[in-house]
Coordinates of all heavy atoms in Angstrom, one line a residue:
P437 N 82.9 64.4 128.7 CA 82.9 65.8 129.1 C 82.5 66.7 127.9 O 82.8 66.4 126.8 CB 84.3 66.1 129.5 CG 84.9 64.7 129.9 CD 84.2 63.7 129.0
E438 N 81.8 67.8 128.2 CA 81.3 68.6 127.1 C 82.5 69.2 126.3 O 82.3 69.4 125.1 CB 80.5 69.7 127.7 CG 79.8 70.6 126.7 CD 79.1 71.8 127.3 OE1 79.6 72.3 128.4 OE2 78.1 72.3 126.7
T439 N 83.6 69.6 127.0 CA 84.7 70.1 126.3 C 85.8 69.1 125.9 O 86.9 69.5 125.4 CB 85.4 71.2 127.1 OG1 85.8 70.6 128.4 CG2 84.4 72.4 127.4
G440 N 85.5 67.8 126.0 CA 86.5 66.8 125.7 C 86.5 66.5 124.2 O 86.0 67.3 123.4
N441 N 87.1 65.4 123.8 CA 87.1 65.0 122.4 C 85.8 64.3 122.0 O 85.6 63.1 122.3 CB 88.3 64.0 122.2 CG 89.6 64.7 122.1 OD1 89.9 65.5 121.2 ND2 90.5 64.5 123.1
C442 N 84.9 65.1 121.4 CA 83.6 64.7 121.0 C 83.4 64.8 119.5 O 82.2 65.0 119.1 CB 82.5 65.5 121.8 SG 82.7 65.4 123.6
S443 N 84.4 64.6 118.7 CA 84.2 64.8 117.3 C 84.8 63.6 116.6 O 85.8 63.0 117.0 CB 84.9 66.1 116.8 OG 86.3 66.0 117.1
S444 N 84.1 63.2 115.5 CA 84.6 62.2 114.6 C 84.7 62.8 113.2 O 84.9 64.0 113.0 CB 83.6 61.0 114.6 OG 84.0 60.0 113.8
G445 N 84.4 62.0 112.2 CA 84.5 62.5 110.8 C 84.2 61.5 109.8 O 84.0 60.3 110.1
V446 N 84.1 61.9 108.5 CA 83.9 61.1 107.4 C 84.9 61.4 106.3 O 85.4 62.5 106.2 CB 82.4 61.2 106.8 CG1 81.4 60.8 107.8 CG2 82.2 62.6 106.4
N447 N 85.2 60.4 105.5 CA 86.2 60.6 104.4 C 85.4 60.9 103.1 O 84.5 60.2 102.7 CB 87.0 59.3 104.2 CG 87.9 59.0 105.4 OD1 88.5 60.0 105.9 ND2 87.9 57.8 105.8
V448 N 85.7 62.1 102.5 CA 85.0 62.5 101.3 C 86.0 62.4 100.1 O 87.1 62.9 100.2 CB 84.6 64.0 101.5 CG1 83.8 64.4 100.3 CG2 83.8 64.1 102.8
L449 N 85.6 61.7 99.1 CA 86.4 61.5 97.9 C 86.1 62.7 96.9 O 85.0 62.8 96.4 CB 86.1 60.2 97.3 CG 86.9 59.8 96.1 CD1 88.4 59.7 96.5 CD2 86.4 58.5 95.4
L450 N 87.1 63.5 96.6 CA 87.0 64.6 95.8 C 88.0 64.5 94.6 O 88.8 63.6 94.5 CB 87.3 66.0 96.5 CG 86.5 66.2 97.8 CD1 86.8 67.6 98.4 CD2 85.0 66.1 97.5
N451 N 87.8 65.5 93.7 CA 88.8 65.6 92.6 C 89.0 67.0 92.3 O 88.5 67.9 93.0 CB 88.3 64.8 91.3 CG 86.9 65.2 90.9 OD1 86.7 66.4 90.8 ND2 86.1 64.3 90.7
N452 N 89.8 67.3 91.2 CA 90.2 68.7 91.0 C 89.1 69.6 90.5 O 89.1 70.8 90.6 CB 91.3 68.7 89.9 CG 92.5 67.9 90.3 OD1 92.4 66.7 90.6 ND2 93.7 68.6 90.4
T453 N 88.0 69.0 89.9 CA 87.0 69.8 89.3 C 85.6 69.5 89.8 O 84.6 69.8 89.2 CB 87.0 69.6 87.8 OG1 86.8 68.2 87.5 CG2 88.3 70.0 87.1
I454 N 85.5 68.9 91.0 CA 84.2 68.6 91.5 C 83.4 69.8 91.9 O 83.9 70.9 92.2 CB 84.4 67.7 92.8 CG1 83.0 67.1 93.2 CG2 85.0 68.5 93.9 CD1 83.2 66.0 94.3
A455 N 82.1 69.7 91.7 CA 81.2 70.9 92.0 C 80.7 70.9 93.4 O 80.7 69.8 94.1 CB 80.0 70.8 91.0
P456 N 80.2 72.0 93.9 CA 79.7 72.1 95.3 C 78.6 71.2 95.6 O 78.5 70.5 96.7 CB 79.4 73.5 95.5 CG 80.1 74.3 94.5 CD 80.3 73.4 93.3
R457 N 77.7 71.0 94.6 CA 76.5 70.1 94.8 C 76.9 68.7 95.0 O 76.3 68.0 95.8 CB 75.5 70.3 93.7 CG 74.9 71.7 93.5 CD 73.7 71.8 94.5 NE 72.6 70.9 94.0 CZ 71.5 70.7 94.8 NH1 71.4 71.3 95.9 NH2 70.6 69.9 94.3
D458 N 77.9 68.3 94.3 CA 78.4 66.9 94.4 C 79.1 66.7 95.8 O 78.9 65.6 96.4 CB 79.4 66.6 93.3 CG 78.8 66.6 91.9 OD1 77.6 66.3 91.8 OD2 79.5 66.9 90.9
I459 N 79.8 67.7 96.3 CA 80.4 67.5 97.6 C 79.3 67.4 98.7 O 79.3 66.6 99.6 CB 81.3 68.7 97.9 CG1 82.4 68.8 96.9 CG2 81.8 68.7 99.3 CD1 83.3 70.0 97.1
Q460 N 78.2 68.3 98.6 CA 77.2 68.2 99.6 C 76.4 66.9 99.5 O 76.1 66.3 100.6 CB 76.2 69.4 99.3 CG 75.0 69.4 100.3 CD 74.4 70.8 100.4 OE1 74.9 71.7 100.9 NE2 73.2 70.8 99.8
L461 N 76.2 66.4 98.3 CA 75.5 65.1 98.2 C 76.3 64.0 98.8 O 75.7 63.1 99.5 CB 75.2 64.8 96.7 CG 74.5 63.5 96.4 CD1 73.1 63.4 97.0 CD2 74.4 63.3 94.9
Q462 N 77.6 64.0 98.6 CA 78.5 63.0 99.1 C 78.5 63.0 100.7 O 78.5 62.0 101.4 CB 79.9 63.1 98.5 CG 80.7 61.9 98.9 CD 82.1 62.0 98.3 OE1 83.0 61.3 98.7 NE2 82.3 62.8 97.2

Side-chain angles (χ1 to χ4, degrees):
E438 184 188 30
T439 59
N441 283 295
C442 302
S443 59
S444 181
V446 296
N447 296 316
V448 185
L449 185 63
L450 306 183
N451 54 48
N452 301 59
T453 58
I454 191 170
R457 294 277 292 171
D458 294 331
I459 299 177
Q460 179 162 288
L461 178 62
Q462 189 178 163

